[in-house]
Amino acid sequence: DMKVTQMPRYLIKRMGENVLLECGQDMSHETMYWYRQDPGLGLQLIYISYDVDSNSEGDIPKGYRVSRKKREHFSLILDSAKTNQTSVYFCASSLSPWTTNSDYTFGSGTRLLVI
Amino acid sequence: GDQVEQSPSALSLHEGTGSALRCNFTTTMRAVQWFQQNSRGSLINLFYLASGTKENGRLKSTFNSKESYSTLHIRDAQLEDSGTYFCAAEAPGYQNFYFGKGTSLTVIP
């Protein structure tokens, strides 16, 4: 069963702590994404990765960084978490965006609360 | 500004009825996707279209690139169709899909 797996599902962190969100996919997709979802704002792109060590900023990269050392794994890192980073974070993967059928598969999300 | 505008923002349907959700785009788009976010928060991919119409069960989606819109038709609505529906569109030369703010659908018994 092809899927995107996110860990953990729920996370509570104190302001200033480091946060690591992990995402894996078993479809050999080249492209992976991190989004955050906030009420009234829809999904906003944080980072996109085109392949191993080939990452680009999305629309709201400030306060985040990413790591992709293997094609199947894409990590989102918050160095010194802030309360305004409380959100639901979604990872997604797709074939190359330059293909004709680059539809997304989403993970189940990580609900992060920063206190 | 927003490149993807969804309407309506909220919709209630009685079981067995149907309606259409719409996305308008402020620029020419290359492809569109539709997702359902269910009560558990999971995002389920419903359709990917580069043009034309696709149908799957009680759902049908159309993408008109020339007129910059896409629609998602739901017929014979069931309780499990409740959730938030998002469209996302990709502009030529860009490498990701931009999401609308969603339509919250409630199906009433």
Side-chain angles (χ1 to χ4, degrees), chain A residues 33 35 37 40-43 45 48 50 59 90 97-104 106 108 111, chain B residues 30 33 35 37 40-43 45 47-48 50 54 86 90 93-101:
Chain A
Y33 314 80
Y35 286 86
Q37 184 178 28
L41 296 179
L43 283 92
L45 180 66
I48 181 172
Y50 299 105
D59 298 317
F90 285 97
W98 307 115
T99 63
T100 56
N101 196 24
S102 55
D103 57 323
Y104 285 16
F106 274 96
S108 300
R111 284 142 185 84
Chain B
R30 188 178 80 88
Q33 298 188 72
F35 299 89
Q37 189 166 37
R40 296 177 61 191
S42 296
L43 284 154
N45 194 312
F47 293 105
Y48 175 101
K54 287 187 178 179
F86 292 97
E90 182 185 38
Y94 286 81
Q95 295 135 1
N96 61 277
F97 281 75
Y98 287 92
F99 281 77
K101 290 184 167 52

mmCIF file of all heavy atoms in Angstrom, chain A residues 33 35 37 40-43 45 48 50 59 90 97-104 106 108 111, chain B residues 30 33 35 37 40-43 45 47-48 50 54 86 90 93-101:
data_model
loop_
_atom_site.group_PDB
_atom_site.id
_atom_site.type_symbol
_atom_site.label_atom_id
_atom_site.label_comp_id
_atom_site.label_asym_id
_atom_site.label_seq_id
_atom_site.Cartn_x
_atom_site.Cartn_y
_atom_site.Cartn_z
ATOM 1 N N TYR A 33 7.330 17.585 -0.034
ATOM 2 C CA TYR A 33 6.899 18.916 0.379
ATOM 3 C C TYR A 33 6.593 18.920 1.874
ATOM 4 O O TYR A 33 6.170 17.914 2.441
ATOM 5 C CB TYR A 33 5.609 19.317 -0.353
ATOM 6 C CG TYR A 33 5.572 19.075 -1.837
ATOM 7 C CD1 TYR A 33 5.315 17.804 -2.352
ATOM 8 C CD2 TYR A 33 5.763 20.124 -2.730
ATOM 9 C CE1 TYR A 33 5.264 17.584 -3.715
ATOM 10 C CE2 TYR A 33 5.708 19.907 -4.102
ATOM 11 C CZ TYR A 33 5.458 18.639 -4.583
ATOM 12 O OH TYR A 33 5.408 18.428 -5.948
ATOM 13 N N TYR A 35 4.093 21.328 4.273
ATOM 14 C CA TYR A 35 3.094 22.381 4.376
ATOM 15 C C TYR A 35 2.698 22.535 5.840
ATOM 16 O O TYR A 35 2.805 21.605 6.629
ATOM 17 C CB TYR A 35 1.825 22.010 3.611
ATOM 18 C CG TYR A 35 1.906 22.079 2.106
ATOM 19 C CD1 TYR A 35 2.385 21.000 1.364
ATOM 20 C CD2 TYR A 35 1.474 23.207 1.420
ATOM 21 C CE1 TYR A 35 2.443 21.064 -0.027
ATOM 22 C CE2 TYR A 35 1.522 23.273 0.031
ATOM 23 C CZ TYR A 35 2.004 22.195 -0.679
ATOM 24 O OH TYR A 35 2.055 22.257 -2.058
ATOM 25 N N GLN A 37 -0.836 23.919 8.037
ATOM 26 C CA GLN A 37 -2.236 24.272 7.855
ATOM 27 C C GLN A 37 -2.727 24.980 9.093
ATOM 28 O O GLN A 37 -2.649 24.450 10.203
ATOM 29 C CB GLN A 37 -3.096 23.022 7.601
ATOM 30 C CG GLN A 37 -4.548 23.369 7.315
ATOM 31 C CD GLN A 37 -5.406 22.161 7.025
ATOM 32 O OE1 GLN A 37 -5.141 21.062 7.484
ATOM 33 N NE2 GLN A 37 -6.460 22.359 6.232
ATOM 34 N N GLY A 40 -8.360 29.104 8.429
ATOM 35 C CA GLY A 40 -8.585 30.272 7.598
ATOM 36 C C GLY A 40 -7.488 30.570 6.598
ATOM 37 O O GLY A 40 -7.657 31.452 5.753
ATOM 38 N N LEU A 41 -6.390 29.845 6.682
ATOM 39 C CA LEU A 41 -5.264 30.121 5.786
ATOM 40 C C LEU A 41 -4.999 28.999 4.797
ATOM 41 O O LEU A 41 -4.125 29.121 3.941
ATOM 42 C CB LEU A 41 -3.991 30.395 6.587
ATOM 43 C CG LEU A 41 -3.996 31.628 7.463
ATOM 44 C CD1 LEU A 41 -2.679 31.746 8.221
ATOM 45 C CD2 LEU A 41 -4.235 32.889 6.633
ATOM 46 N N GLY A 42 -5.692 27.906 4.921
ATOM 47 C CA GLY A 42 -5.438 26.793 4.016
ATOM 48 C C GLY A 42 -4.076 26.185 4.259
ATOM 49 O O GLY A 42 -3.548 26.220 5.375
ATOM 50 N N LEU A 43 -3.498 25.633 3.228
ATOM 51 C CA LEU A 43 -2.181 25.008 3.327
ATOM 52 C C LEU A 43 -1.142 25.933 2.717
ATOM 53 O O LEU A 43 -1.299 26.406 1.598
ATOM 54 C CB LEU A 43 -2.149 23.665 2.602
ATOM 55 C CG LEU A 43 -2.799 22.512 3.345
ATOM 56 C CD1 LEU A 43 -4.250 22.370 2.955
ATOM 57 C CD2 LEU A 43 -2.052 21.212 3.072
ATOM 58 N N LEU A 45 2.960 26.412 1.759
ATOM 59 C CA LEU A 45 4.169 25.641 1.478
ATOM 60 C C LEU A 45 5.358 26.200 2.231
ATOM 61 O O LEU A 45 5.691 27.381 2.108
ATOM 62 C CB LEU A 45 4.449 25.659 -0.024
ATOM 63 C CG LEU A 45 5.677 24.900 -0.488
ATOM 64 C CD1 LEU A 45 5.512 23.393 -0.252
ATOM 65 C CD2 LEU A 45 5.944 25.175 -1.960
ATOM 66 N N ILE A 48 10.145 22.726 -0.377
ATOM 67 C CA ILE A 48 9.988 21.687 -1.377
ATOM 68 C C ILE A 48 11.354 21.063 -1.633
ATOM 69 O O ILE A 48 12.376 21.764 -1.607
ATOM 70 C CB ILE A 48 9.369 22.274 -2.679
ATOM 71 C CG1 ILE A 48 9.161 21.203 -3.725
ATOM 72 C CG2 ILE A 48 10.229 23.397 -3.229
ATOM 73 C CD1 ILE A 48 8.380 21.709 -4.950
ATOM 74 N N TYR A 50 13.374 18.512 -4.354
ATOM 75 C CA TYR A 50 13.270 17.880 -5.678
ATOM 76 C C TYR A 50 13.976 16.533 -5.720
ATOM 77 O O TYR A 50 13.750 15.750 -6.635
ATOM 78 C CB TYR A 50 13.827 18.805 -6.744
ATOM 79 C CG TYR A 50 13.066 20.097 -6.811
ATOM 80 C CD1 TYR A 50 13.603 21.273 -6.307
ATOM 81 C CD2 TYR A 50 11.781 20.137 -7.330
ATOM 82 C CE1 TYR A 50 12.887 22.452 -6.340
ATOM 83 C CE2 TYR A 50 11.060 21.320 -7.365
ATOM 84 C CZ TYR A 50 11.623 22.468 -6.856
ATOM 85 O OH TYR A 50 10.910 23.628 -6.869
ATOM 86 N N ASP A 59 6.801 29.259 0.406
ATOM 87 C CA ASP A 59 6.272 30.599 0.649
ATOM 88 C C ASP A 59 6.560 31.117 2.057
ATOM 89 O O ASP A 59 6.635 32.326 2.272
ATOM 90 C CB ASP A 59 4.757 30.604 0.403
ATOM 91 C CG ASP A 59 4.419 30.249 -1.027
ATOM 92 O OD1 ASP A 59 5.109 30.759 -1.928
ATOM 93 O OD2 ASP A 59 3.477 29.459 -1.246
ATOM 94 N N PHE A 90 1.868 19.084 7.388
ATOM 95 C CA PHE A 90 1.642 17.988 6.458
ATOM 96 C C PHE A 90 2.851 17.826 5.539
ATOM 97 O O PHE A 90 3.390 18.800 5.017
ATOM 98 C CB PHE A 90 0.413 18.244 5.589
ATOM 99 C CG PHE A 90 -0.888 18.044 6.296
ATOM 100 C CD1 PHE A 90 -1.574 19.123 6.840
ATOM 101 C CD2 PHE A 90 -1.432 16.772 6.414
ATOM 102 C CE1 PHE A 90 -2.778 18.932 7.496
ATOM 103 C CE2 PHE A 90 -2.643 16.577 7.066
ATOM 104 C CZ PHE A 90 -3.308 17.654 7.611
ATOM 105 N N PRO A 97 7.643 17.315 -10.594
ATOM 106 C CA PRO A 97 6.625 18.280 -11.020
ATOM 107 C C PRO A 97 6.617 18.508 -12.516
ATOM 108 O O PRO A 97 5.666 19.084 -13.047
ATOM 109 C CB PRO A 97 7.002 19.561 -10.273
ATOM 110 C CG PRO A 97 8.431 19.391 -9.912
ATOM 111 C CD PRO A 97 8.644 17.918 -9.731
ATOM 112 N N TRP A 98 7.613 18.042 -13.203
ATOM 113 C CA TRP A 98 7.665 18.244 -14.651
ATOM 114 C C TRP A 98 7.014 17.102 -15.411
ATOM 115 O O TRP A 98 6.971 17.113 -16.620
ATOM 116 C CB TRP A 98 9.114 18.422 -15.107
ATOM 117 C CG TRP A 98 9.813 19.485 -14.331
ATOM 118 C CD1 TRP A 98 10.867 19.326 -13.502
ATOM 119 C CD2 TRP A 98 9.463 20.878 -14.259
ATOM 120 N NE1 TRP A 98 11.206 20.529 -12.930
ATOM 121 C CE2 TRP A 98 10.374 21.489 -13.385
ATOM 122 C CE3 TRP A 98 8.469 21.665 -14.874
ATOM 123 C CZ2 TRP A 98 10.332 22.854 -13.094
ATOM 124 C CZ3 TRP A 98 8.427 23.012 -14.579
ATOM 125 C CH2 TRP A 98 9.341 23.595 -13.708
ATOM 126 N N THR A 99 6.523 16.110 -14.681
ATOM 127 C CA THR A 99 5.791 15.043 -15.364
ATOM 128 C C THR A 99 4.352 15.490 -15.578
ATOM 129 O O THR A 99 3.910 16.514 -15.041
ATOM 130 C CB THR A 99 5.799 13.746 -14.533
ATOM 131 O OG1 THR A 99 5.119 13.983 -13.296
ATOM 132 C CG2 THR A 99 7.216 13.290 -14.252
ATOM 133 N N THR A 100 3.617 14.694 -16.312
ATOM 134 C CA THR A 100 2.248 15.080 -16.639
ATOM 135 C C THR A 100 1.243 14.620 -15.597
ATOM 136 O O THR A 100 0.067 14.919 -15.699
ATOM 137 C CB THR A 100 1.839 14.494 -18.000
ATOM 138 O OG1 THR A 100 2.019 13.078 -17.947
ATOM 139 C CG2 THR A 100 2.685 15.069 -19.111
ATOM 140 N N ASN A 101 1.686 13.908 -14.600
ATOM 141 C CA ASN A 101 0.731 13.434 -13.599
ATOM 142 C C ASN A 101 1.387 13.465 -12.230
ATOM 143 O O ASN A 101 1.590 12.441 -11.609
ATOM 144 C CB ASN A 101 0.253 12.029 -13.929
ATOM 145 C CG ASN A 101 -1.002 11.677 -13.145
ATOM 146 O OD1 ASN A 101 -1.754 12.545 -12.720
ATOM 147 N ND2 ASN A 101 -1.213 10.402 -12.923
ATOM 148 N N SER A 102 1.715 14.651 -11.775
ATOM 149 C CA SER A 102 2.440 14.799 -10.516
ATOM 150 C C SER A 102 1.480 15.025 -9.358
ATOM 151 O O SER A 102 1.620 15.985 -8.610
ATOM 152 C CB SER A 102 3.452 15.932 -10.626
ATOM 153 O OG SER A 102 2.810 17.125 -11.027
ATOM 154 N N ASP A 103 0.489 14.135 -9.207
ATOM 155 C CA ASP A 103 -0.466 14.336 -8.108
ATOM 156 C C ASP A 103 0.185 14.007 -6.764
ATOM 157 O O ASP A 103 1.112 13.210 -6.672
ATOM 158 C CB ASP A 103 -1.730 13.509 -8.317
ATOM 159 C CG ASP A 103 -1.461 12.041 -8.474
ATOM 160 O OD1 ASP A 103 -0.453 11.688 -9.087
ATOM 161 O OD2 ASP A 103 -2.274 11.246 -7.970
ATOM 162 N N TYR A 104 -0.310 14.656 -5.736
ATOM 163 C CA TYR A 104 0.255 14.570 -4.395
ATOM 164 C C TYR A 104 -0.331 13.394 -3.619
ATOM 165 O O TYR A 104 -1.519 13.079 -3.741
ATOM 166 C CB TYR A 104 -0.106 15.817 -3.584
ATOM 167 C CG TYR A 104 0.640 17.079 -3.921
ATOM 168 C CD1 TYR A 104 1.359 17.236 -5.079
ATOM 169 C CD2 TYR A 104 0.586 18.163 -3.029
ATOM 170 C CE1 TYR A 104 2.006 18.421 -5.353
ATOM 171 C CE2 TYR A 104 1.226 19.348 -3.297
ATOM 172 C CZ TYR A 104 1.938 19.475 -4.458
ATOM 173 O OH TYR A 104 2.574 20.650 -4.724
ATOM 174 N N PHE A 106 -0.509 12.753 0.474
ATOM 175 C CA PHE A 106 -0.243 13.415 1.751
ATOM 176 C C PHE A 106 -0.087 12.408 2.880
ATOM 177 O O PHE A 106 -0.712 11.340 2.877
ATOM 178 C CB PHE A 106 -1.402 14.344 2.123
ATOM 179 C CG PHE A 106 -1.303 15.716 1.527
ATOM 180 C CD1 PHE A 106 -1.964 16.024 0.356
ATOM 181 C CD2 PHE A 106 -0.548 16.705 2.150
ATOM 182 C CE1 PHE A 106 -1.876 17.299 -0.199
ATOM 183 C CE2 PHE A 106 -0.453 17.977 1.600
ATOM 184 C CZ PHE A 106 -1.115 18.265 0.422
ATOM 185 N N SER A 108 -0.526 11.875 7.160
ATOM 186 C CA SER A 108 -1.667 12.119 8.047
ATOM 187 C C SER A 108 -1.521 13.376 8.883
ATOM 188 O O SER A 108 -2.457 13.760 9.583
ATOM 189 C CB SER A 108 -1.874 10.919 8.978
ATOM 190 O OG SER A 108 -2.136 9.760 8.223
ATOM 191 N N ARG A 111 0.439 17.209 14.526
ATOM 192 C CA ARG A 111 -0.143 18.344 15.247
ATOM 193 C C ARG A 111 0.840 18.801 16.305
ATOM 194 O O ARG A 111 1.092 18.084 17.274
ATOM 195 C CB ARG A 111 -1.476 17.928 15.858
ATOM 196 C CG ARG A 111 -2.576 17.854 14.825
ATOM 197 C CD ARG A 111 -3.537 16.704 15.060
ATOM 198 N NE ARG A 111 -4.502 16.610 13.977
ATOM 199 C CZ ARG A 111 -4.289 15.987 12.815
ATOM 200 N NH1 ARG A 111 -3.133 15.397 12.581
ATOM 201 N NH2 ARG A 111 -5.210 15.957 11.876
ATOM 202 N N ARG B 30 -1.699 25.126 -15.101
ATOM 203 C CA ARG B 30 -1.327 23.972 -15.909
ATOM 204 C C ARG B 30 -2.089 22.716 -15.496
ATOM 205 O O ARG B 30 -2.367 21.837 -16.308
ATOM 206 C CB ARG B 30 0.174 23.732 -15.766
ATOM 207 C CG ARG B 30 0.756 22.686 -16.672
ATOM 208 C CD ARG B 30 2.266 22.599 -16.446
ATOM 209 N NE ARG B 30 2.626 21.835 -15.278
ATOM 210 C CZ ARG B 30 2.816 20.514 -15.265
ATOM 211 N NH1 ARG B 30 2.649 19.818 -16.357
ATOM 212 N NH2 ARG B 30 3.152 19.896 -14.151
ATOM 213 N N GLN B 33 -5.625 19.917 -8.749
ATOM 214 C CA GLN B 33 -5.930 18.751 -7.928
ATOM 215 C C GLN B 33 -7.075 19.116 -6.987
ATOM 216 O O GLN B 33 -7.194 20.276 -6.585
ATOM 217 C CB GLN B 33 -4.719 18.333 -7.068
ATOM 218 C CG GLN B 33 -3.495 17.930 -7.867
ATOM 219 C CD GLN B 33 -2.411 17.348 -6.980
ATOM 220 O OE1 GLN B 33 -2.528 16.242 -6.481
ATOM 221 N NE2 GLN B 33 -1.339 18.112 -6.787
ATOM 222 N N PHE B 35 -8.841 17.759 -3.269
ATOM 223 C CA PHE B 35 -8.632 16.938 -2.080
ATOM 224 C C PHE B 35 -9.842 17.045 -1.158
ATOM 225 O O PHE B 35 -10.500 18.083 -1.102
ATOM 226 C CB PHE B 35 -7.408 17.409 -1.291
ATOM 227 C CG PHE B 35 -6.120 17.348 -2.049
ATOM 228 C CD1 PHE B 35 -5.705 18.421 -2.816
ATOM 229 C CD2 PHE B 35 -5.316 16.221 -1.980
ATOM 230 C CE1 PHE B 35 -4.502 18.369 -3.512
ATOM 231 C CE2 PHE B 35 -4.119 16.163 -2.672
ATOM 232 C CZ PHE B 35 -3.711 17.235 -3.440
ATOM 233 N N GLN B 37 -10.517 16.755 2.917
ATOM 234 C CA GLN B 37 -9.969 16.588 4.263
ATOM 235 C C GLN B 37 -11.091 16.072 5.149
ATOM 236 O O GLN B 37 -12.087 16.761 5.364
ATOM 237 C CB GLN B 37 -9.398 17.887 4.809
ATOM 238 C CG GLN B 37 -8.639 17.687 6.117
ATOM 239 C CD GLN B 37 -7.796 18.879 6.489
ATOM 240 O OE1 GLN B 37 -8.173 20.024 6.278
ATOM 241 N NE2 GLN B 37 -6.624 18.624 7.054
ATOM 242 N N ARG B 40 -10.990 13.175 10.368
ATOM 243 C CA ARG B 40 -9.755 12.843 11.087
ATOM 244 C C ARG B 40 -8.611 13.756 10.687
ATOM 245 O O ARG B 40 -7.516 13.654 11.226
ATOM 246 C CB ARG B 40 -9.367 11.390 10.817
ATOM 247 C CG ARG B 40 -10.372 10.389 11.351
ATOM 248 C CD ARG B 40 -9.970 8.978 10.997
ATOM 249 N NE ARG B 40 -8.682 8.622 11.585
ATOM 250 C CZ ARG B 40 -8.003 7.524 11.265
ATOM 251 N NH1 ARG B 40 -8.482 6.688 10.376
ATOM 252 N NH2 ARG B 40 -6.843 7.262 11.845
ATOM 253 N N GLY B 41 -8.868 14.629 9.709
ATOM 254 C CA GLY B 41 -7.837 15.569 9.285
ATOM 255 C C GLY B 41 -6.985 15.085 8.136
ATOM 256 O O GLY B 41 -6.098 15.813 7.692
ATOM 257 N N SER B 42 -7.240 13.901 7.655
ATOM 258 C CA SER B 42 -6.448 13.349 6.559
ATOM 259 C C SER B 42 -6.853 13.981 5.231
ATOM 260 O O SER B 42 -8.037 14.221 4.981
ATOM 261 C CB SER B 42 -6.643 11.842 6.468
ATOM 262 O OG SER B 42 -6.169 11.212 7.631
ATOM 263 N N LEU B 43 -5.860 14.232 4.386
ATOM 264 C CA LEU B 43 -6.095 14.815 3.053
ATOM 265 C C LEU B 43 -6.077 13.696 2.029
ATOM 266 O O LEU B 43 -5.071 13.025 1.827
ATOM 267 C CB LEU B 43 -5.009 15.840 2.732
ATOM 268 C CG LEU B 43 -5.153 17.166 3.452
ATOM 269 C CD1 LEU B 43 -3.820 17.857 3.602
ATOM 270 C CD2 LEU B 43 -6.130 18.063 2.694
ATOM 271 N N ASN B 45 -6.552 12.528 -1.864
ATOM 272 C CA ASN B 45 -6.500 13.003 -3.237
ATOM 273 C C ASN B 45 -7.704 12.461 -4.013
ATOM 274 O O ASN B 45 -7.901 11.249 -4.094
ATOM 275 C CB ASN B 45 -5.190 12.555 -3.875
ATOM 276 C CG ASN B 45 -4.905 13.283 -5.165
ATOM 277 O OD1 ASN B 45 -5.764 13.396 -6.018
ATOM 278 N ND2 ASN B 45 -3.701 13.784 -5.297
ATOM 279 N N PHE B 47 -8.871 14.003 -7.315
ATOM 280 C CA PHE B 47 -8.637 14.109 -8.754
ATOM 281 C C PHE B 47 -7.360 14.891 -9.022
ATOM 282 O O PHE B 47 -7.005 15.790 -8.275
ATOM 283 C CB PHE B 47 -9.792 14.856 -9.464
ATOM 284 C CG PHE B 47 -11.106 14.143 -9.465
ATOM 285 C CD1 PHE B 47 -12.127 14.554 -8.629
ATOM 286 C CD2 PHE B 47 -11.325 13.061 -10.304
ATOM 287 C CE1 PHE B 47 -13.345 13.900 -8.616
ATOM 288 C CE2 PHE B 47 -12.539 12.397 -10.303
ATOM 289 C CZ PHE B 47 -13.542 12.818 -9.450
ATOM 290 N N TYR B 48 -6.748 14.523 -10.128
ATOM 291 C CA TYR B 48 -5.692 15.318 -10.735
ATOM 292 C C TYR B 48 -6.098 15.518 -12.184
ATOM 293 O O TYR B 48 -6.373 14.557 -12.896
ATOM 294 C CB TYR B 48 -4.343 14.592 -10.662
ATOM 295 C CG TYR B 48 -3.223 15.299 -11.372
ATOM 296 C CD1 TYR B 48 -2.293 16.042 -10.652
ATOM 297 C CD2 TYR B 48 -3.077 15.226 -12.755
ATOM 298 C CE1 TYR B 48 -1.257 16.688 -11.300
ATOM 299 C CE2 TYR B 48 -2.055 15.876 -13.406
ATOM 300 C CZ TYR B 48 -1.139 16.607 -12.672
ATOM 301 O OH TYR B 48 -0.112 17.252 -13.315
ATOM 302 N N ALA B 50 -5.153 17.713 -15.855
ATOM 303 C CA ALA B 50 -4.419 18.668 -16.679
ATOM 304 C C ALA B 50 -5.361 19.311 -17.706
ATOM 305 O O ALA B 50 -5.013 20.337 -18.307
ATOM 306 C CB ALA B 50 -3.260 17.992 -17.369
ATOM 307 N N LYS B 54 -12.982 14.397 -15.314
ATOM 308 C CA LYS B 54 -12.807 13.056 -14.760
ATOM 309 C C LYS B 54 -13.971 12.768 -13.836
ATOM 310 O O LYS B 54 -14.503 13.670 -13.186
ATOM 311 C CB LYS B 54 -11.486 12.931 -14.007
ATOM 312 C CG LYS B 54 -10.259 12.883 -14.893
ATOM 313 C CD LYS B 54 -9.012 12.582 -14.082
ATOM 314 C CE LYS B 54 -7.793 12.480 -14.982
ATOM 315 N NZ LYS B 54 -6.550 12.204 -14.202
ATOM 316 N N PHE B 86 -10.536 20.954 -0.792
ATOM 317 C CA PHE B 86 -9.538 21.908 -1.271
ATOM 318 C C PHE B 86 -9.242 21.654 -2.737
ATOM 319 O O PHE B 86 -9.122 20.505 -3.167
ATOM 320 C CB PHE B 86 -8.220 21.754 -0.502
ATOM 321 C CG PHE B 86 -8.288 22.168 0.939
ATOM 322 C CD1 PHE B 86 -8.491 21.228 1.937
ATOM 323 C CD2 PHE B 86 -8.128 23.495 1.294
ATOM 324 C CE1 PHE B 86 -8.548 21.604 3.276
ATOM 325 C CE2 PHE B 86 -8.174 23.887 2.627
ATOM 326 C CZ PHE B 86 -8.394 22.934 3.605
ATOM 327 N N GLU B 90 -1.529 24.474 -10.238
ATOM 328 C CA GLU B 90 -0.121 24.679 -10.581
ATOM 329 C C GLU B 90 -0.026 25.570 -11.803
ATOM 330 O O GLU B 90 -0.616 25.266 -12.852
ATOM 331 C CB GLU B 90 0.550 23.342 -10.859
ATOM 332 C CG GLU B 90 2.031 23.435 -11.177
ATOM 333 C CD GLU B 90 2.617 22.100 -11.569
ATOM 334 O OE1 GLU B 90 1.939 21.335 -12.269
ATOM 335 O OE2 GLU B 90 3.751 21.817 -11.159
ATOM 336 N N GLY B 93 5.563 26.803 -15.231
ATOM 337 C CA GLY B 93 6.847 27.345 -14.792
ATOM 338 C C GLY B 93 7.048 27.296 -13.293
ATOM 339 O O GLY B 93 8.149 27.527 -12.813
ATOM 340 N N TYR B 94 6.000 27.011 -12.536
ATOM 341 C CA TYR B 94 6.129 26.854 -11.099
ATOM 342 C C TYR B 94 6.235 25.370 -10.784
ATOM 343 O O TYR B 94 5.897 24.525 -11.595
ATOM 344 C CB TYR B 94 4.945 27.488 -10.362
ATOM 345 C CG TYR B 94 5.014 28.990 -10.350
ATOM 346 C CD1 TYR B 94 4.605 29.720 -11.452
ATOM 347 C CD2 TYR B 94 5.500 29.666 -9.245
ATOM 348 C CE1 TYR B 94 4.680 31.098 -11.443
ATOM 349 C CE2 TYR B 94 5.561 31.046 -9.231
ATOM 350 C CZ TYR B 94 5.154 31.751 -10.339
ATOM 351 O OH TYR B 94 5.228 33.114 -10.332
ATOM 352 N N GLN B 95 6.681 25.079 -9.606
ATOM 353 C CA GLN B 95 6.996 23.694 -9.281
ATOM 354 C C GLN B 95 6.189 23.166 -8.116
ATOM 355 O O GLN B 95 6.556 22.182 -7.513
ATOM 356 C CB GLN B 95 8.496 23.579 -8.980
ATOM 357 C CG GLN B 95 9.337 23.884 -10.191
ATOM 358 C CD GLN B 95 10.500 24.804 -9.873
ATOM 359 O OE1 GLN B 95 10.688 25.207 -8.739
ATOM 360 N NE2 GLN B 95 11.270 25.139 -10.870
ATOM 361 N N ASN B 96 5.124 23.856 -7.767
ATOM 362 C CA ASN B 96 4.272 23.344 -6.714
ATOM 363 C C ASN B 96 2.856 23.837 -6.943
ATOM 364 O O ASN B 96 2.612 24.726 -7.755
ATOM 365 C CB ASN B 96 4.766 23.784 -5.341
ATOM 366 C CG ASN B 96 4.771 25.280 -5.181
ATOM 367 O OD1 ASN B 96 5.695 25.951 -5.596
ATOM 368 N ND2 ASN B 96 3.705 25.836 -4.609
ATOM 369 N N PHE B 97 1.936 23.247 -6.223
ATOM 370 C CA PHE B 97 0.522 23.591 -6.330
ATOM 371 C C PHE B 97 0.160 24.597 -5.240
ATOM 372 O O PHE B 97 0.567 24.466 -4.094
ATOM 373 C CB PHE B 97 -0.333 22.332 -6.175
ATOM 374 C CG PHE B 97 -0.402 21.493 -7.414
ATOM 375 C CD1 PHE B 97 0.674 20.712 -7.792
ATOM 376 C CD2 PHE B 97 -1.535 21.492 -8.200
ATOM 377 C CE1 PHE B 97 0.616 19.947 -8.937
ATOM 378 C CE2 PHE B 97 -1.609 20.719 -9.352
ATOM 379 C CZ PHE B 97 -0.526 19.945 -9.715
ATOM 380 N N TYR B 98 -0.632 25.583 -5.618
ATOM 381 C CA TYR B 98 -1.140 26.573 -4.664
ATOM 382 C C TYR B 98 -2.556 26.168 -4.265
ATOM 383 O O TYR B 98 -3.389 25.874 -5.119
ATOM 384 C CB TYR B 98 -1.124 27.969 -5.264
ATOM 385 C CG TYR B 98 0.269 28.523 -5.361
ATOM 386 C CD1 TYR B 98 1.025 28.356 -6.514
ATOM 387 C CD2 TYR B 98 0.849 29.174 -4.277
ATOM 388 C CE1 TYR B 98 2.322 28.831 -6.593
ATOM 389 C CE2 TYR B 98 2.148 29.657 -4.349
ATOM 390 C CZ TYR B 98 2.871 29.480 -5.505
ATOM 391 O OH TYR B 98 4.157 29.952 -5.573
ATOM 392 N N PHE B 99 -2.804 26.199 -2.957
ATOM 393 C CA PHE B 99 -4.077 25.727 -2.419
ATOM 394 C C PHE B 99 -5.060 26.878 -2.218
ATOM 395 O O PHE B 99 -4.674 27.979 -1.810
ATOM 396 C CB PHE B 99 -3.852 25.024 -1.085
ATOM 397 C CG PHE B 99 -3.338 23.629 -1.231
ATOM 398 C CD1 PHE B 99 -2.007 23.394 -1.541
ATOM 399 C CD2 PHE B 99 -4.183 22.547 -1.069
ATOM 400 C CE1 PHE B 99 -1.528 22.104 -1.688
ATOM 401 C CE2 PHE B 99 -3.718 21.250 -1.216
ATOM 402 C CZ PHE B 99 -2.388 21.031 -1.521
ATOM 403 N N GLY B 100 -6.332 26.583 -2.474
ATOM 404 C CA GLY B 100 -7.384 27.481 -2.050
ATOM 405 C C GLY B 100 -7.644 27.304 -0.565
ATOM 406 O O GLY B 100 -7.057 26.439 0.082
ATOM 407 N N LYS B 101 -8.536 28.127 -0.020
ATOM 408 C CA LYS B 101 -8.802 28.093 1.420
ATOM 409 C C LYS B 101 -9.849 27.055 1.796
ATOM 410 O O LYS B 101 -10.137 26.862 2.980
ATOM 411 C CB LYS B 101 -9.211 29.471 1.916
ATOM 412 C CG LYS B 101 -8.056 30.478 1.901
ATOM 413 C CD LYS B 101 -8.446 31.801 2.493
ATOM 414 C CE LYS B 101 -7.236 32.689 2.764
ATOM 415 N NZ LYS B 101 -6.332 32.889 1.641
#
